[in-house]
Amino acid sequence: MRLFIAIDLPQEIKEKAQKVEQEMQKLQGSFTFVKPDAMHITLNFIGEVDKDLADKAKAALSSVSFTPFKVHLQGLSYFSPSFIRVVYASIKEGSAEAKTLFETVGEALTANSVPYEHSGSDAERFVPHFTLARVKYIKEKKPLLDFINAYSDFDFGSFTARSITLKQSTLSEAGPVYSDLYKLEV
């Protein structure tokens, strides 16, 4: 099973994100947009594991403690400057806390022998964000950059992160389907 740990987003933020996605659809290109029920902030991507490692991941998550923190999502940005592959909402407030939570969860996973992406010295590459779209193809890069710049201050909203969830991702032709395996609420 394919696993990751995430912070779920409230409905109001998902609705604002959908409006941005609808505007982005007008660009000449091919995008895979994140569906509302799949919108989240990924903390730790574990990947493909067996049931034993899934149980260890649950145990690791159950040992984590953190203080709830405010997350404010504002503005669009992207990864891969040479070819834009991912368009995401930036975390304006709460990024440092999300990074700390990433590290705390990572320590718990490591203590339970559960490997995850960006572990060890690779952790510095972790950028807390909320993915809106993956770019498959874009006819011209400039209109996409102009779109991202036009939404550089767009306010997606704020919420208090009070829980993290171990999720299973099942890949299908219609896109990934997520199910919650364990939820830690503080």
Side-chain angles (χ1 to χ4, degrees):
M1 60 185 75
R2 192 170 182 255
L3 304 181
F4 65 96
I5 297 168
I7 299 171
D8 290 318
L9 299 174
Q11 189 60 35
E12 308 82 57
I13 290 176
K14 292 177 181 183
E15 289 169 5
K16 286 184 178 182
Q18 277 188 285
K19 289 178 183 175
V20 173
E21 288 176 344
Q22 288 168 354
E23 290 301 312
M24 195 172 168
Q25 287 176 358
K26 297 175 184 175
L27 298 174
Q28 292 184 337
S30 177
F31 307 97
T32 301
F33 293 102
V34 178
K35 296 175 184 168
D37 61 340
M39 293 178 176
H40 64 273
I41 298 169
T42 301
L43 286 177
N44 306 76
F45 182 76
I46 297 170
E48 197 67 40
V49 298
D50 60 20
K51 183 171 178 351
D52 182 51
L53 275 177
D55 290 339
K56 287 181 178 184
K58 287 180 194 176
L61 200 55
S62 71
S63 72
V64 170
S65 66
F66 69 97
T67 302
F69 60 96
K70 183 179 178 182
V71 176
H72 182 195
L73 295 159
Q74 182 177 348
L76 289 183
S77 193
Y78 58 92
F79 292 122
S80 306
S82 58
F83 177 79
I84 300 170
R85 297 190 187 283
V86 175
V87 177
Y88 66 87
S90 299
I91 298 178
K92 194 76 167 175
E93 183 180 346
S95 183
E97 292 87 343
K99 282 185 177 187
T100 298
L101 186 53
F102 162 83
E103 291 168 359
T104 301
V105 171
E107 289 167 4
L109 291 170
T110 299
N112 282 272
S113 303
V114 179
Y116 65 98
E117 187 177 80
H118 296 315
S119 60
S121 61
D122 199 29
E124 293 173 8
R125 291 187 18 217
F126 174 68
V127 176
H129 67 280
F130 154 43
T131 299
L132 268 83
R134 287 176 177 72
V135 181
K136 291 194 227 172
Y137 164 80
I138 188 77
K139 185 173 182 178
E140 292 181 39
K141 189 174 169 180
K142 185 175 179 343
L144 179 56
L145 287 173
D146 290 345
F147 179 85
I148 292 168
N149 288 332
Y151 281 87
S152 64
D153 289 326
F154 184 82
D155 191 355
F156 289 91
S158 301
F159 68 100
T160 300
R162 299 181 191 279
S163 64
I164 52 178
T165 307
L166 176 65
K167 294 182 175 284
Q168 179 177 350
S169 173
T170 305
L171 302 177
S172 72
E173 286 185 21
V177 177
Y178 301 143
S179 54
D180 295 352
L181 298 182
Y182 179 82
K183 188 171 201 159
L184 171 70
E185 296 190 53
V186 295

